[in-house]
Amino acid sequence: SSQRRFHAAPRAARTSSDRRAMAPSTALADALRGLQERAGAHERRIGKNAKASLLYDVKDAADVDRETAHAIGARGFEELCRRDGRFEQHAKTLFARSVAEGKHRELETAEELAATSARVEGYLRLLSGYFNERCASETLEYLIRRFKIHVYDVDALIACGLPWHGTAAFVKATQTCQLENSRHFKWLGGVKETGAAPPRDALAVRCSKDKAFFTFCAQSATEMATAKVRDFEAPATTFLFVFHGDWIV
């Protein structure tokens, strides 16, 4: 009996330790399940065959298969690489055919989901300076179809386009996103409903009233500026510095 009691404590200690070790993974898994459930609900609302798209209306996008979406994205990506060699670092991780044919995002584990998001976010930071160009939209079209970034990486996608908030491209991207999955941009629901671009003053007011949003924008500005520092004189990069510097300060 005493021997059984002697072994009981270590077992309890191991169980408690295991629970603590599992907590982060459990949180990730819960977040993943929530995203998957909301993605499923959204699909049921718009129709099973309808597809989110930046380049087509929802119903026409359903006729664009995965292979075609990849071809469109690859075309835009090649143009970006010709203009800025730093995009090439994302060729194997996001735009390779083997990646395009990989398993759907819904089937990823929580750890895989986080790793994919990290790759996507790195690309979007670099893309921000080119967001308003056709080649950028072509790559985003592919990323939306392949990785569902409008579902799983909403904040990163909107932050990518935020310096271009007055453009039709930004409005379309916002309308494509499932804002209920966003931490910082749920308040853009009006843009999604009306199709009207948010005025610069509205963004400034939001920054003044929402500390978390201000911090997110400041951090995003720093990361985007760092990603583009080698091309400081490039027009797109200069635009980002002017936008974020004038607004955040």
Side-chain angles (χ1 to χ4, degrees):
S1 174
S2 61
Q3 187 175 16
R4 285 196 298 272
R5 286 194 298 272
F6 174 79
H7 288 293
R11 278 202 302 271
R14 286 197 299 271
T15 300
S16 176
S17 176
D18 289 345
R19 283 198 299 270
R20 288 193 296 271
M22 290 171 59
S25 295
T26 300
L28 281 172
D30 289 344
L32 173 58
R33 280 194 296 272
L35 284 170
Q36 291 170 332
E37 289 170 1
R38 290 193 289 273
H42 179 74
E43 185 177 83
R44 288 190 293 274
R45 285 197 303 273
I46 66 174
K48 185 176 181 180
N49 295 324
K51 303 294 182 184
S53 174
L54 293 182
L55 303 180
Y56 310 96
D57 66 40
V58 174
K59 295 190 181 300
D60 287 343
D63 295 327
V64 179
D65 61 23
R66 197 172 180 181
E67 183 177 354
T68 302
H70 176 249
I72 292 170
R75 181 178 63 201
F77 184 68
E78 288 172 4
E79 172 63 22
L80 288 167
C81 288
R82 281 194 291 270
R83 297 172 59 179
D84 188 337
R86 288 169 298 156
F87 279 105
E88 293 175 3
Q89 65 186 291
H90 300 285
K92 292 183 179 180
T93 59
L94 293 176
F95 292 90
R97 182 169 295 278
S98 59
V99 175
E101 296 172 350
K103 66 182 179 181
H104 290 279
R105 198 86 184 263
E106 297 92 328
L107 301 178
E108 291 183 340
T109 65
E111 290 74 16
E112 289 171 335
L113 184 72
T116 300
S117 287
R119 294 194 296 271
V120 167
E121 289 167 10
Y123 175 75
L124 293 178
R125 282 195 294 271
L126 187 57
L127 186 68
S128 184
Y130 303 87
F131 178 83
N132 200 39
E133 301 190 28
R134 174 75 181 189
C135 55
S137 294
E138 289 175 341
T139 66
L140 291 174
E141 182 76 10
Y142 160 69
L143 294 177
I144 286 171
R145 180 64 64 89
R146 171 62 185 88
F147 295 107
K148 294 194 172 182
I149 62 172
H150 65 299
V151 176
Y152 294 95
D153 306 293
V154 174
D155 283 343
L157 176 54
I158 295 181
C160 173
L162 196 59
W164 309 88
H165 64 89
T167 66
F170 178 78
V171 171
K172 182 64 173 176
T174 301
Q175 290 178 317
T176 301
C177 286
Q178 293 186 21
L179 294 180
E180 60 268 31
N181 295 340
S182 171
R183 292 184 59 191
H184 300 290
F185 294 104
K186 289 184 176 70
W187 60 278
L188 288 177
V191 175
K192 188 165 186 174
E193 293 174 4
T194 67
R200 192 184 189 92
D201 289 348
L203 298 176
V205 169
R206 189 74 189 186
C207 270
S208 68
K209 293 183 176 180
D210 186 339
K211 183 178 180 180
F213 178 68
F214 173 83
T215 301
F216 172 79
C217 290
Q219 181 178 352
S220 296
T222 301
E223 291 171 348
M224 290 175 186
T226 300
K228 296 166 178 61
V229 69
R230 293 193 309 175
D231 289 335
F232 181 81
E233 297 303 324
T237 302
T238 303
F239 172 77
L240 288 180
F241 276 117
V242 170
F243 172 81
H244 284 298
D246 180 51
W247 178 36
I248 296 299
V249 174

